Amino acid sequence: MKNLFLFFNKVKFFMLFIFLQIIVFKIIISNSSYQQASYLNSSASFSGWFYTQSKSIKDYFGLKEVNKTLAIQNASLKQESFHNYTIVSENEILIDKEIYKKKYLFQPSVVIQNSTRRRKNILTLDVGKNKRISKEMGVVASTGIVGFVKDVSQHYSTVLSLMNTDFNVPVVPMNDSCEGTLYWDKQDGINQVSVKGIPNYFKIKVGDTIVTQGGSGFFPPNERVGTVTEVLKESGSNNHLLKLKTSVDFYALNNVFIVKNIYKEELDSLQQTIDE
């Protein structure tokens, strides 16, 4: 207690000075409209800056939840797109005097691992059997196709990327019917793929968009694949060899959708009978 009194005795003049300064400051603010306005403006500026920075920090930490919400909304929009319906006979959706039934379901997912520098690149997603994911389901992003499901565990699934030498799927130029095969050539780089098998009498030019044909059952029709960057001649044939830049940026792949074709089993069964 004695030490405390000694301390206050040492600083009493300094504390008196601070107290008087506060009184003088209040008198100046109260009696001078200019000083009062300056003080209020400064206070408002600081408060505005503080709340802006606080909101920016809160927004940053809220991005994960925002992205999750947007992914769910995007999946919902994909499920309502026109290409997600197929004509049936009765008790379904009526559009322009025709009846349509939903054909595809879209499950939002997050990429937790993504290889891009191998010959057989694989992605890992954060959903599996717990979300009724199974092998050979297509995987798309908001900008285009990504690959298809290769293996599934209870809570995870692996995906065969477009940039995998085992990947191939039928594709067509947008607004045309000439079918080719999408594949990843050993000479292709990251975010590059190739298309072969389109006869050269079809006019294909740099800048054309290539989309899914839909016949494989992996993807809905008209999902973007990429943009033509080169039109070459396929060796030993009269077909085009197209080089594409993928619509999806595999360097920055995060949110994707797993595509469930409700009628894929029926389609596969029918194709097996044709093959036999």
Side-chain angles (χ1 to χ4, degrees), residues 123-152:
L123 299 89
T124 304
L125 308 183
D126 68 343
V127 294
K129 294 176 182 177
N130 59 324
K131 293 294 184 178
R132 299 182 181 178
I133 305 305
S134 59
K135 292 182 179 181
E136 298 189 348
M137 287 184 175
V139 179
V140 301
S142 58
T143 53
I145 68 171
V146 173
F148 60 83
V149 176
K150 181 177 181 290
D151 291 301
V152 184

PDB file of all heavy atoms in Angstrom, residues 123-152:
ATOM      1  N   LEU A 123      -8.317 -36.708 -59.682  1.00  0.00           N
ATOM      2  CA  LEU A 123      -8.798 -35.783 -58.663  1.00  0.00           C
ATOM      3  C   LEU A 123      -9.429 -36.578 -57.525  1.00  0.00           C
ATOM      4  O   LEU A 123      -9.906 -37.694 -57.743  1.00  0.00           O
ATOM      5  CB  LEU A 123      -9.848 -34.826 -59.220  1.00  0.00           C
ATOM      6  CG  LEU A 123      -9.478 -33.887 -60.362  1.00  0.00           C
ATOM      7  CD1 LEU A 123      -9.720 -34.554 -61.704  1.00  0.00           C
ATOM      8  CD2 LEU A 123     -10.305 -32.611 -60.277  1.00  0.00           C
ATOM      9  N   THR A 124      -9.458 -36.002 -56.333  1.00  0.00           N
ATOM     10  CA  THR A 124     -10.172 -36.592 -55.197  1.00  0.00           C
ATOM     11  C   THR A 124     -11.230 -35.612 -54.728  1.00  0.00           C
ATOM     12  O   THR A 124     -10.946 -34.420 -54.537  1.00  0.00           O
ATOM     13  CB  THR A 124      -9.209 -36.911 -54.038  1.00  0.00           C
ATOM     14  OG1 THR A 124      -8.158 -37.762 -54.518  1.00  0.00           O
ATOM     15  CG2 THR A 124      -9.945 -37.626 -52.912  1.00  0.00           C
ATOM     16  N   LEU A 125     -12.464 -36.119 -54.530  1.00  0.00           N
ATOM     17  CA  LEU A 125     -13.591 -35.288 -54.090  1.00  0.00           C
ATOM     18  C   LEU A 125     -14.014 -35.672 -52.675  1.00  0.00           C
ATOM     19  O   LEU A 125     -13.752 -36.784 -52.218  1.00  0.00           O
ATOM     20  CB  LEU A 125     -14.771 -35.446 -55.053  1.00  0.00           C
ATOM     21  CG  LEU A 125     -14.482 -35.240 -56.538  1.00  0.00           C
ATOM     22  CD1 LEU A 125     -15.764 -35.362 -57.348  1.00  0.00           C
ATOM     23  CD2 LEU A 125     -13.806 -33.897 -56.786  1.00  0.00           C
ATOM     24  N   ASP A 126     -14.725 -34.754 -52.015  1.00  0.00           N
ATOM     25  CA  ASP A 126     -15.074 -34.950 -50.602  1.00  0.00           C
ATOM     26  C   ASP A 126     -16.427 -35.632 -50.390  1.00  0.00           C
ATOM     27  O   ASP A 126     -17.004 -35.530 -49.305  1.00  0.00           O
ATOM     28  CB  ASP A 126     -15.059 -33.601 -49.866  1.00  0.00           C
ATOM     29  CG  ASP A 126     -16.191 -32.677 -50.320  1.00  0.00           C
ATOM     30  OD1 ASP A 126     -16.778 -32.925 -51.390  1.00  0.00           O
ATOM     31  OD2 ASP A 126     -16.493 -31.704 -49.596  1.00  0.00           O
ATOM     32  N   VAL A 127     -16.950 -36.319 -51.395  1.00  0.00           N
ATOM     33  CA  VAL A 127     -18.199 -37.082 -51.238  1.00  0.00           C
ATOM     34  C   VAL A 127     -18.004 -38.483 -51.816  1.00  0.00           C
ATOM     35  O   VAL A 127     -17.173 -38.689 -52.700  1.00  0.00           O
ATOM     36  CB  VAL A 127     -19.398 -36.396 -51.928  1.00  0.00           C
ATOM     37  CG1 VAL A 127     -19.737 -35.082 -51.257  1.00  0.00           C
ATOM     38  CG2 VAL A 127     -19.131 -36.188 -53.413  1.00  0.00           C
ATOM     39  N   GLY A 128     -18.779 -39.433 -51.300  1.00  0.00           N
ATOM     40  CA  GLY A 128     -18.674 -40.816 -51.775  1.00  0.00           C
ATOM     41  C   GLY A 128     -20.008 -41.529 -51.682  1.00  0.00           C
ATOM     42  O   GLY A 128     -21.052 -40.958 -52.013  1.00  0.00           O
ATOM     43  N   LYS A 129     -19.962 -42.764 -51.199  1.00  0.00           N
ATOM     44  CA  LYS A 129     -21.188 -43.557 -51.095  1.00  0.00           C
ATOM     45  C   LYS A 129     -22.204 -42.910 -50.152  1.00  0.00           C
ATOM     46  O   LYS A 129     -23.405 -43.152 -50.268  1.00  0.00           O
ATOM     47  CB  LYS A 129     -20.857 -44.967 -50.614  1.00  0.00           C
ATOM     48  CG  LYS A 129     -20.035 -45.778 -51.617  1.00  0.00           C
ATOM     49  CD  LYS A 129     -19.658 -47.147 -51.054  1.00  0.00           C
ATOM     50  CE  LYS A 129     -18.796 -47.917 -52.041  1.00  0.00           C
ATOM     51  NZ  LYS A 129     -18.358 -49.225 -51.482  1.00  0.00           N
ATOM     52  N   ASN A 130     -21.700 -42.088 -49.225  1.00  0.00           N
ATOM     53  CA  ASN A 130     -22.607 -41.393 -48.304  1.00  0.00           C
ATOM     54  C   ASN A 130     -23.556 -40.450 -49.036  1.00  0.00           C
ATOM     55  O   ASN A 130     -24.613 -40.087 -48.529  1.00  0.00           O
ATOM     56  CB  ASN A 130     -21.812 -40.608 -47.252  1.00  0.00           C
ATOM     57  CG  ASN A 130     -20.894 -39.562 -47.859  1.00  0.00           C
ATOM     58  OD1 ASN A 130     -20.315 -39.760 -48.921  1.00  0.00           O
ATOM     59  ND2 ASN A 130     -20.753 -38.448 -47.186  1.00  0.00           N
ATOM     60  N   LYS A 131     -23.182 -40.044 -50.257  1.00  0.00           N
ATOM     61  CA  LYS A 131     -24.040 -39.194 -51.089  1.00  0.00           C
ATOM     62  C   LYS A 131     -24.515 -39.945 -52.342  1.00  0.00           C
ATOM     63  O   LYS A 131     -24.895 -39.342 -53.335  1.00  0.00           O
ATOM     64  CB  LYS A 131     -23.282 -37.930 -51.504  1.00  0.00           C
ATOM     65  CG  LYS A 131     -22.957 -36.995 -50.350  1.00  0.00           C
ATOM     66  CD  LYS A 131     -24.203 -36.387 -49.743  1.00  0.00           C
ATOM     67  CE  LYS A 131     -23.865 -35.392 -48.654  1.00  0.00           C
ATOM     68  NZ  LYS A 131     -25.083 -34.759 -48.075  1.00  0.00           N
ATOM     69  N   ARG A 132     -24.473 -41.288 -52.269  1.00  0.00           N
ATOM     70  CA  ARG A 132     -24.939 -42.147 -53.356  1.00  0.00           C
ATOM     71  C   ARG A 132     -24.158 -41.933 -54.657  1.00  0.00           C
ATOM     72  O   ARG A 132     -24.709 -42.010 -55.747  1.00  0.00           O
ATOM     73  CB  ARG A 132     -26.443 -41.934 -53.606  1.00  0.00           C
ATOM     74  CG  ARG A 132     -27.296 -42.281 -52.395  1.00  0.00           C
ATOM     75  CD  ARG A 132     -28.771 -42.102 -52.686  1.00  0.00           C
ATOM     76  NE  ARG A 132     -29.573 -42.427 -51.501  1.00  0.00           N
ATOM     77  CZ  ARG A 132     -30.896 -42.331 -51.452  1.00  0.00           C
ATOM     78  NH1 ARG A 132     -31.565 -41.913 -52.523  1.00  0.00           N
ATOM     79  NH2 ARG A 132     -31.550 -42.640 -50.351  1.00  0.00           N
ATOM     80  N   ILE A 133     -22.856 -41.689 -54.497  1.00  0.00           N
ATOM     81  CA  ILE A 133     -21.980 -41.565 -55.665  1.00  0.00           C
ATOM     82  C   ILE A 133     -21.522 -42.958 -56.075  1.00  0.00           C
ATOM     83  O   ILE A 133     -21.234 -43.807 -55.222  1.00  0.00           O
ATOM     84  CB  ILE A 133     -20.756 -40.680 -55.335  1.00  0.00           C
ATOM     85  CG1 ILE A 133     -21.217 -39.320 -54.793  1.00  0.00           C
ATOM     86  CG2 ILE A 133     -19.888 -40.505 -56.568  1.00  0.00           C
ATOM     87  CD1 ILE A 133     -22.178 -38.569 -55.681  1.00  0.00           C
ATOM     88  N   SER A 134     -21.444 -43.213 -57.367  1.00  0.00           N
ATOM     89  CA  SER A 134     -20.989 -44.511 -57.871  1.00  0.00           C
ATOM     90  C   SER A 134     -20.051 -44.302 -59.056  1.00  0.00           C
ATOM     91  O   SER A 134     -19.937 -43.193 -59.597  1.00  0.00           O
ATOM     92  CB  SER A 134     -22.176 -45.380 -58.276  1.00  0.00           C
ATOM     93  OG  SER A 134     -22.950 -44.748 -59.281  1.00  0.00           O
ATOM     94  N   LYS A 135     -19.381 -45.370 -59.464  1.00  0.00           N
ATOM     95  CA  LYS A 135     -18.432 -45.303 -60.575  1.00  0.00           C
ATOM     96  C   LYS A 135     -19.115 -44.853 -61.858  1.00  0.00           C
ATOM     97  O   LYS A 135     -20.300 -45.096 -62.070  1.00  0.00           O
ATOM     98  CB  LYS A 135     -17.784 -46.671 -60.802  1.00  0.00           C
ATOM     99  CG  LYS A 135     -16.850 -47.114 -59.691  1.00  0.00           C
ATOM    100  CD  LYS A 135     -16.217 -48.452 -60.043  1.00  0.00           C
ATOM    101  CE  LYS A 135     -15.262 -48.924 -58.963  1.00  0.00           C
ATOM    102  NZ  LYS A 135     -14.618 -50.210 -59.314  1.00  0.00           N
ATOM    103  N   GLU A 136     -18.324 -44.193 -62.702  1.00  0.00           N
ATOM    104  CA  GLU A 136     -18.734 -43.773 -64.045  1.00  0.00           C
ATOM    105  C   GLU A 136     -19.801 -42.672 -64.046  1.00  0.00           C
ATOM    106  O   GLU A 136     -20.497 -42.488 -65.039  1.00  0.00           O
ATOM    107  CB  GLU A 136     -19.193 -44.968 -64.881  1.00  0.00           C
ATOM    108  CG  GLU A 136     -18.097 -45.992 -65.113  1.00  0.00           C
ATOM    109  CD  GLU A 136     -18.495 -47.061 -66.109  1.00  0.00           C
ATOM    110  OE1 GLU A 136     -19.686 -47.144 -66.460  1.00  0.00           O
ATOM    111  OE2 GLU A 136     -17.609 -47.814 -66.538  1.00  0.00           O
ATOM    112  N   MET A 137     -19.895 -41.931 -62.957  1.00  0.00           N
ATOM    113  CA  MET A 137     -20.696 -40.712 -62.976  1.00  0.00           C
ATOM    114  C   MET A 137     -19.830 -39.574 -63.509  1.00  0.00           C
ATOM    115  O   MET A 137     -18.647 -39.475 -63.173  1.00  0.00           O
ATOM    116  CB  MET A 137     -21.205 -40.360 -61.572  1.00  0.00           C
ATOM    117  CG  MET A 137     -22.315 -41.249 -61.074  1.00  0.00           C
ATOM    118  SD  MET A 137     -22.933 -40.671 -59.458  1.00  0.00           S
ATOM    119  CE  MET A 137     -24.303 -41.802 -59.201  1.00  0.00           C
ATOM    120  N   GLY A 138     -20.404 -38.739 -64.353  1.00  0.00           N
ATOM    121  CA  GLY A 138     -19.668 -37.599 -64.875  1.00  0.00           C
ATOM    122  C   GLY A 138     -19.428 -36.552 -63.804  1.00  0.00           C
ATOM    123  O   GLY A 138     -20.161 -36.469 -62.817  1.00  0.00           O
ATOM    124  N   VAL A 139     -18.381 -35.737 -64.010  1.00  0.00           N
ATOM    125  CA  VAL A 139     -18.069 -34.638 -63.099  1.00  0.00           C
ATOM    126  C   VAL A 139     -17.891 -33.378 -63.934  1.00  0.00           C
ATOM    127  O   VAL A 139     -17.129 -33.369 -64.913  1.00  0.00           O
ATOM    128  CB  VAL A 139     -16.787 -34.919 -62.282  1.00  0.00           C
ATOM    129  CG1 VAL A 139     -16.472 -33.742 -61.357  1.00  0.00           C
ATOM    130  CG2 VAL A 139     -16.945 -36.202 -61.472  1.00  0.00           C
ATOM    131  N   VAL A 140     -18.602 -32.323 -63.565  1.00  0.00           N
ATOM    132  CA  VAL A 140     -18.527 -31.058 -64.296  1.00  0.00           C
ATOM    133  C   VAL A 140     -18.289 -29.916 -63.322  1.00  0.00           C
ATOM    134  O   VAL A 140     -18.577 -30.027 -62.133  1.00  0.00           O
ATOM    135  CB  VAL A 140     -19.822 -30.788 -65.102  1.00  0.00           C
ATOM    136  CG1 VAL A 140     -20.071 -31.905 -66.108  1.00  0.00           C
ATOM    137  CG2 VAL A 140     -21.031 -30.626 -64.187  1.00  0.00           C
ATOM    138  N   ALA A 141     -17.760 -28.814 -63.852  1.00  0.00           N
ATOM    139  CA  ALA A 141     -17.671 -27.559 -63.103  1.00  0.00           C
ATOM    140  C   ALA A 141     -18.660 -26.584 -63.731  1.00  0.00           C
ATOM    141  O   ALA A 141     -19.331 -26.913 -64.710  1.00  0.00           O
ATOM    142  CB  ALA A 141     -16.245 -27.011 -63.166  1.00  0.00           C
ATOM    143  N   SER A 142     -18.742 -25.387 -63.197  1.00  0.00           N
ATOM    144  CA  SER A 142     -19.674 -24.405 -63.751  1.00  0.00           C
ATOM    145  C   SER A 142     -19.285 -23.984 -65.161  1.00  0.00           C
ATOM    146  O   SER A 142     -20.124 -23.521 -65.931  1.00  0.00           O
ATOM    147  CB  SER A 142     -19.735 -23.174 -62.842  1.00  0.00           C
ATOM    148  OG  SER A 142     -18.453 -22.603 -62.693  1.00  0.00           O
ATOM    149  N   THR A 143     -17.999 -24.186 -65.530  1.00  0.00           N
ATOM    150  CA  THR A 143     -17.529 -23.753 -66.849  1.00  0.00           C
ATOM    151  C   THR A 143     -17.417 -24.883 -67.870  1.00  0.00           C
ATOM    152  O   THR A 143     -17.234 -24.624 -69.065  1.00  0.00           O
ATOM    153  CB  THR A 143     -16.150 -23.080 -66.728  1.00  0.00           C
ATOM    154  OG1 THR A 143     -15.262 -23.961 -66.021  1.00  0.00           O
ATOM    155  CG2 THR A 143     -16.262 -21.773 -65.969  1.00  0.00           C
ATOM    156  N   GLY A 144     -17.499 -26.155 -67.431  1.00  0.00           N
ATOM    157  CA  GLY A 144     -17.371 -27.258 -68.383  1.00  0.00           C
ATOM    158  C   GLY A 144     -17.090 -28.577 -67.700  1.00  0.00           C
ATOM    159  O   GLY A 144     -17.130 -28.691 -66.471  1.00  0.00           O
ATOM    160  N   ILE A 145     -16.766 -29.604 -68.529  1.00  0.00           N
ATOM    161  CA  ILE A 145     -16.593 -30.951 -67.978  1.00  0.00           C
ATOM    162  C   ILE A 145     -15.202 -31.115 -67.351  1.00  0.00           C
ATOM    163  O   ILE A 145     -14.236 -30.473 -67.763  1.00  0.00           O
ATOM    164  CB  ILE A 145     -16.850 -32.047 -69.031  1.00  0.00           C
ATOM    165  CG1 ILE A 145     -15.768 -32.052 -70.112  1.00  0.00           C
ATOM    166  CG2 ILE A 145     -18.213 -31.858 -69.669  1.00  0.00           C
ATOM    167  CD1 ILE A 145     -15.867 -33.260 -71.042  1.00  0.00           C
ATOM    168  N   VAL A 146     -15.136 -32.015 -66.351  1.00  0.00           N
ATOM    169  CA  VAL A 146     -13.900 -32.248 -65.589  1.00  0.00           C
ATOM    170  C   VAL A 146     -13.387 -33.669 -65.783  1.00  0.00           C
ATOM    171  O   VAL A 146     -12.186 -33.892 -65.963  1.00  0.00           O
ATOM    172  CB  VAL A 146     -14.145 -31.977 -64.091  1.00  0.00           C
ATOM    173  CG1 VAL A 146     -12.930 -32.365 -63.262  1.00  0.00           C
ATOM    174  CG2 VAL A 146     -14.515 -30.521 -63.870  1.00  0.00           C
ATOM    175  N   GLY A 147     -14.288 -34.669 -65.754  1.00  0.00           N
ATOM    176  CA  GLY A 147     -13.897 -36.078 -65.873  1.00  0.00           C
ATOM    177  C   GLY A 147     -15.056 -36.957 -65.449  1.00  0.00           C
ATOM    178  O   GLY A 147     -16.212 -36.543 -65.490  1.00  0.00           O
ATOM    179  N   PHE A 148     -14.745 -38.197 -65.043  1.00  0.00           N
ATOM    180  CA  PHE A 148     -15.796 -39.056 -64.503  1.00  0.00           C
ATOM    181  C   PHE A 148     -15.256 -39.885 -63.338  1.00  0.00           C
ATOM    182  O   PHE A 148     -14.046 -40.112 -63.220  1.00  0.00           O
ATOM    183  CB  PHE A 148     -16.435 -39.939 -65.580  1.00  0.00           C
ATOM    184  CG  PHE A 148     -15.481 -40.872 -66.278  1.00  0.00           C
ATOM    185  CD1 PHE A 148     -15.140 -42.096 -65.721  1.00  0.00           C
ATOM    186  CD2 PHE A 148     -14.942 -40.545 -67.516  1.00  0.00           C
ATOM    187  CE1 PHE A 148     -14.276 -42.968 -66.361  1.00  0.00           C
ATOM    188  CE2 PHE A 148     -14.083 -41.404 -68.167  1.00  0.00           C
ATOM    189  CZ  PHE A 148     -13.747 -42.628 -67.600  1.00  0.00           C
ATOM    190  N   VAL A 149     -16.173 -40.319 -62.469  1.00  0.00           N
ATOM    191  CA  VAL A 149     -15.793 -41.012 -61.237  1.00  0.00           C
ATOM    192  C   VAL A 149     -15.143 -42.353 -61.559  1.00  0.00           C
ATOM    193  O   VAL A 149     -15.673 -43.150 -62.333  1.00  0.00           O
ATOM    194  CB  VAL A 149     -17.017 -41.224 -60.326  1.00  0.00           C
ATOM    195  CG1 VAL A 149     -16.637 -42.028 -59.091  1.00  0.00           C
ATOM    196  CG2 VAL A 149     -17.618 -39.877 -59.923  1.00  0.00           C
ATOM    197  N   LYS A 150     -13.988 -42.599 -60.933  1.00  0.00           N
ATOM    198  CA  LYS A 150     -13.234 -43.836 -61.153  1.00  0.00           C
ATOM    199  C   LYS A 150     -13.459 -44.832 -60.015  1.00  0.00           C
ATOM    200  O   LYS A 150     -13.789 -45.993 -60.235  1.00  0.00           O
ATOM    201  CB  LYS A 150     -11.744 -43.515 -61.281  1.00  0.00           C
ATOM    202  CG  LYS A 150     -10.841 -44.710 -61.534  1.00  0.00           C
ATOM    203  CD  LYS A 150      -9.393 -44.227 -61.726  1.00  0.00           C
ATOM    204  CE  LYS A 150      -8.465 -45.404 -62.018  1.00  0.00           C
ATOM    205  NZ  LYS A 150      -8.270 -46.262 -60.838  1.00  0.00           N
ATOM    206  N   ASP A 151     -13.286 -44.401 -58.768  1.00  0.00           N
ATOM    207  CA  ASP A 151     -13.470 -45.266 -57.597  1.00  0.00           C
ATOM    208  C   ASP A 151     -14.178 -44.486 -56.504  1.00  0.00           C
ATOM    209  O   ASP A 151     -14.074 -43.247 -56.427  1.00  0.00           O
ATOM    210  CB  ASP A 151     -12.122 -45.780 -57.074  1.00  0.00           C
ATOM    211  CG  ASP A 151     -11.463 -46.767 -58.038  1.00  0.00           C
ATOM    212  OD1 ASP A 151     -12.086 -47.803 -58.328  1.00  0.00           O
ATOM    213  OD2 ASP A 151     -10.347 -46.470 -58.496  1.00  0.00           O
ATOM    214  N   VAL A 152     -14.871 -45.225 -55.619  1.00  0.00           N
ATOM    215  CA  VAL A 152     -15.665 -44.585 -54.561  1.00  0.00           C
ATOM    216  C   VAL A 152     -15.446 -45.306 -53.233  1.00  0.00           C
ATOM    217  O   VAL A 152     -15.456 -46.535 -53.177  1.00  0.00           O
ATOM    218  CB  VAL A 152     -17.176 -44.620 -54.907  1.00  0.00           C
ATOM    219  CG1 VAL A 152     -17.971 -43.859 -53.849  1.00  0.00           C
ATOM    220  CG2 VAL A 152     -17.442 -44.041 -56.280  1.00  0.00           C
TER     221      VAL A 152
END
